[in-house]
PDB file of all heavy atoms in Angstrom:
ATOM      1  N   VAL A  31    -147.966-214.768  71.242  1.00  0.00           N
ATOM      2  CA  VAL A  31    -148.391-215.741  72.358  1.00  0.00           C
ATOM      3  C   VAL A  31    -147.758-215.278  73.584  1.00  0.00           C
ATOM      4  O   VAL A  31    -146.576-214.953  73.621  1.00  0.00           O
ATOM      5  CB  VAL A  31    -148.003-217.148  72.092  1.00  0.00           C
ATOM      6  CG1 VAL A  31    -148.517-218.105  73.154  1.00  0.00           C
ATOM      7  CG2 VAL A  31    -148.485-217.648  70.676  1.00  0.00           C
ATOM      8  N   PRO A  32    -148.605-215.078  74.676  1.00  0.00           N
ATOM      9  CA  PRO A  32    -148.013-214.812  76.038  1.00  0.00           C
ATOM     10  C   PRO A  32    -146.796-215.655  76.382  1.00  0.00           C
ATOM     11  O   PRO A  32    -146.955-216.839  76.036  1.00  0.00           O
ATOM     12  CB  PRO A  32    -149.159-214.881  76.908  1.00  0.00           C
ATOM     13  CG  PRO A  32    -150.403-214.641  76.073  1.00  0.00           C
ATOM     14  CD  PRO A  32    -150.129-215.205  74.777  1.00  0.00           C
ATOM     15  N   GLN A  33    -145.717-215.090  76.680  1.00  0.00           N
ATOM     16  CA  GLN A  33    -144.443-215.997  76.949  1.00  0.00           C
ATOM     17  C   GLN A  33    -144.619-217.079  77.851  1.00  0.00           C
ATOM     18  O   GLN A  33    -144.179-218.238  77.531  1.00  0.00           O
ATOM     19  CB  GLN A  33    -143.329-215.153  77.428  1.00  0.00           C
ATOM     20  CG  GLN A  33    -142.017-215.767  77.377  1.00  0.00           C
ATOM     21  CD  GLN A  33    -141.603-216.204  75.890  1.00  0.00           C
ATOM     22  OE1 GLN A  33    -141.780-215.308  74.902  1.00  0.00           O
ATOM     23  NE2 GLN A  33    -141.252-217.435  75.691  1.00  0.00           N
ATOM     24  N   ARG A  34    -145.354-216.925  78.875  1.00  0.00           N
ATOM     25  CA  ARG A  34    -145.550-217.968  79.845  1.00  0.00           C
ATOM     26  C   ARG A  34    -146.377-219.136  79.223  1.00  0.00           C
ATOM     27  O   ARG A  34    -146.164-220.285  79.448  1.00  0.00           O
ATOM     28  CB  ARG A  34    -146.136-217.534  81.125  1.00  0.00           C
ATOM     29  CG  ARG A  34    -146.364-218.687  82.321  1.00  0.00           C
ATOM     30  CD  ARG A  34    -146.886-218.124  83.643  1.00  0.00           C
ATOM     31  NE  ARG A  34    -147.214-219.083  84.570  1.00  0.00           N
ATOM     32  CZ  ARG A  34    -146.195-219.775  85.247  1.00  0.00           C
ATOM     33  NH1 ARG A  34    -144.916-219.464  85.105  1.00  0.00           N
ATOM     34  NH2 ARG A  34    -146.497-220.602  86.224  1.00  0.00           N
ATOM     35  N   LEU A  35    -147.411-218.741  78.446  1.00  0.00           N
ATOM     36  CA  LEU A  35    -148.356-219.838  77.876  1.00  0.00           C
ATOM     37  C   LEU A  35    -147.366-220.529  76.736  1.00  0.00           C
ATOM     38  O   LEU A  35    -147.454-221.828  76.563  1.00  0.00           O
ATOM     39  CB  LEU A  35    -149.443-219.137  77.093  1.00  0.00           C
ATOM     40  CG  LEU A  35    -150.303-220.101  76.371  1.00  0.00           C
ATOM     41  CD1 LEU A  35    -150.926-221.080  77.199  1.00  0.00           C
ATOM     42  CD2 LEU A  35    -151.489-219.155  75.680  1.00  0.00           C
ATOM     43  N   LYS A  36    -146.679-219.788  76.033  1.00  0.00           N
ATOM     44  CA  LYS A  36    -145.727-220.364  75.001  1.00  0.00           C
ATOM     45  C   LYS A  36    -144.761-221.319  75.525  1.00  0.00           C
ATOM     46  O   LYS A  36    -144.595-222.442  75.097  1.00  0.00           O
ATOM     47  CB  LYS A  36    -145.062-219.290  74.149  1.00  0.00           C
ATOM     48  CG  LYS A  36    -144.189-219.835  73.103  1.00  0.00           C
ATOM     49  CD  LYS A  36    -143.512-218.724  72.196  1.00  0.00           C
ATOM     50  CE  LYS A  36    -142.799-219.289  71.043  1.00  0.00           C
ATOM     51  NZ  LYS A  36    -142.121-218.154  70.261  1.00  0.00           N
ATOM     52  N   ASP A  37    -144.235-220.885  76.705  1.00  0.00           N
ATOM     53  CA  ASP A  37    -143.232-221.759  77.426  1.00  0.00           C
ATOM     54  C   ASP A  37    -143.970-223.064  77.854  1.00  0.00           C
ATOM     55  O   ASP A  37    -143.340-224.231  77.843  1.00  0.00           O
ATOM     56  CB  ASP A  37    -142.624-220.942  78.576  1.00  0.00           C
ATOM     57  CG  ASP A  37    -141.732-219.983  78.245  1.00  0.00           C
ATOM     58  OD1 ASP A  37    -141.259-219.880  77.000  1.00  0.00           O
ATOM     59  OD2 ASP A  37    -141.379-219.138  79.014  1.00  0.00           O
ATOM     60  N   SER A  38    -145.074-222.963  78.400  1.00  0.00           N
ATOM     61  CA  SER A  38    -145.824-224.100  78.835  1.00  0.00           C
ATOM     62  C   SER A  38    -146.214-225.071  77.662  1.00  0.00           C
ATOM     63  O   SER A  38    -146.103-226.291  77.845  1.00  0.00           O
ATOM     64  CB  SER A  38    -147.147-223.677  79.655  1.00  0.00           C
ATOM     65  OG  SER A  38    -147.815-224.735  80.139  1.00  0.00           O
ATOM     66  N   MET A  39    -146.628-224.383  76.697  1.00  0.00           N
ATOM     67  CA  MET A  39    -146.907-225.358  75.499  1.00  0.00           C
ATOM     68  C   MET A  39    -145.754-226.093  74.988  1.00  0.00           C
ATOM     69  O   MET A  39    -145.869-227.249  74.732  1.00  0.00           O
ATOM     70  CB  MET A  39    -147.625-224.421  74.429  1.00  0.00           C
ATOM     71  CG  MET A  39    -149.008-223.974  74.764  1.00  0.00           C
ATOM     72  SD  MET A  39    -149.560-222.532  73.568  1.00  0.00           S
ATOM     73  CE  MET A  39    -149.857-223.622  72.050  1.00  0.00           C
ATOM     74  N   LEU A  40    -144.587-225.438  74.799  1.00  0.00           N
ATOM     75  CA  LEU A  40    -143.586-225.928  74.291  1.00  0.00           C
ATOM     76  C   LEU A  40    -142.751-226.981  75.405  1.00  0.00           C
ATOM     77  O   LEU A  40    -142.117-227.919  74.870  1.00  0.00           O
ATOM     78  CB  LEU A  40    -142.484-224.942  73.920  1.00  0.00           C
ATOM     79  CG  LEU A  40    -142.747-224.031  72.612  1.00  0.00           C
ATOM     80  CD1 LEU A  40    -141.775-222.970  72.495  1.00  0.00           C
ATOM     81  CD2 LEU A  40    -142.805-224.974  71.456  1.00  0.00           C
ATOM     82  N   TYR A  41    -142.966-226.688  76.597  1.00  0.00           N
ATOM     83  CA  TYR A  41    -142.513-227.596  77.588  1.00  0.00           C
ATOM     84  C   TYR A  41    -142.966-228.976  77.451  1.00  0.00           C
ATOM     85  O   TYR A  41    -142.098-229.846  77.434  1.00  0.00           O
ATOM     86  CB  TYR A  41    -142.931-227.099  79.109  1.00  0.00           C
ATOM     87  CG  TYR A  41    -142.581-227.844  80.186  1.00  0.00           C
ATOM     88  CD1 TYR A  41    -141.221-227.862  80.767  1.00  0.00           C
ATOM     89  CD2 TYR A  41    -143.433-228.825  80.733  1.00  0.00           C
ATOM     90  CE1 TYR A  41    -140.937-228.665  81.758  1.00  0.00           C
ATOM     91  CE2 TYR A  41    -143.161-229.568  81.824  1.00  0.00           C
ATOM     92  CZ  TYR A  41    -141.771-229.505  82.320  1.00  0.00           C
ATOM     93  OH  TYR A  41    -141.516-230.337  83.440  1.00  0.00           O
ATOM     94  N   SER A  42    -144.295-229.203  77.167  1.00  0.00           N
ATOM     95  CA  SER A  42    -144.868-230.472  76.892  1.00  0.00           C
ATOM     96  C   SER A  42    -144.658-230.944  75.523  1.00  0.00           C
ATOM     97  O   SER A  42    -144.387-232.185  75.308  1.00  0.00           O
ATOM     98  CB  SER A  42    -146.336-230.532  77.319  1.00  0.00           C
ATOM     99  OG  SER A  42    -146.461-230.306  78.728  1.00  0.00           O
ATOM    100  N   LEU A  43    -144.812-230.131  74.617  1.00  0.00           N
ATOM    101  CA  LEU A  43    -144.570-230.419  73.208  1.00  0.00           C
ATOM    102  C   LEU A  43    -143.138-230.956  72.859  1.00  0.00           C
ATOM    103  O   LEU A  43    -143.072-231.766  72.117  1.00  0.00           O
ATOM    104  CB  LEU A  43    -144.973-229.351  72.254  1.00  0.00           C
ATOM    105  CG  LEU A  43    -145.303-229.539  70.837  1.00  0.00           C
ATOM    106  CD1 LEU A  43    -146.433-230.443  70.672  1.00  0.00           C
ATOM    107  CD2 LEU A  43    -145.593-228.171  70.053  1.00  0.00           C
ATOM    108  N   GLN A  44    -142.209-230.407  73.570  1.00  0.00           N
ATOM    109  CA  GLN A  44    -140.872-230.859  73.313  1.00  0.00           C
ATOM    110  C   GLN A  44    -140.348-231.731  74.467  1.00  0.00           C
ATOM    111  O   GLN A  44    -139.117-231.922  74.529  1.00  0.00           O
ATOM    112  CB  GLN A  44    -139.908-229.573  73.118  1.00  0.00           C
ATOM    113  CG  GLN A  44    -140.396-228.657  72.066  1.00  0.00           C
ATOM    114  CD  GLN A  44    -139.543-227.443  71.874  1.00  0.00           C
ATOM    115  OE1 GLN A  44    -139.163-226.850  72.928  1.00  0.00           O
ATOM    116  NE2 GLN A  44    -139.282-226.894  70.704  1.00  0.00           N
ATOM    117  N   ALA A  45    -141.107-232.473  75.025  1.00  0.00           N
ATOM    118  CA  ALA A  45    -140.618-233.307  76.148  1.00  0.00           C
ATOM    119  C   ALA A  45    -140.175-234.689  75.774  1.00  0.00           C
ATOM    120  O   ALA A  45    -139.800-235.543  76.628  1.00  0.00           O
ATOM    121  CB  ALA A  45    -141.860-233.477  77.161  1.00  0.00           C
ATOM    122  N   GLY A  46    -140.172-234.979  74.433  1.00  0.00           N
ATOM    123  CA  GLY A  46    -139.711-236.142  73.925  1.00  0.00           C
ATOM    124  C   GLY A  46    -140.846-237.231  73.790  1.00  0.00           C
ATOM    125  O   GLY A  46    -142.088-236.710  73.508  1.00  0.00           O
TER     126      GLY A  46
END
Side-chain angles (χ1 to χ4, degrees):
V31 181
Q33 190 61 49
R34 182 173 175 80
L35 176 61
K36 182 176 182 179
D37 291 344
S38 178
M39 293 167 72
L40 291 175
Y41 175 82
S42 292
L43 198 59
Q44 298 179 327

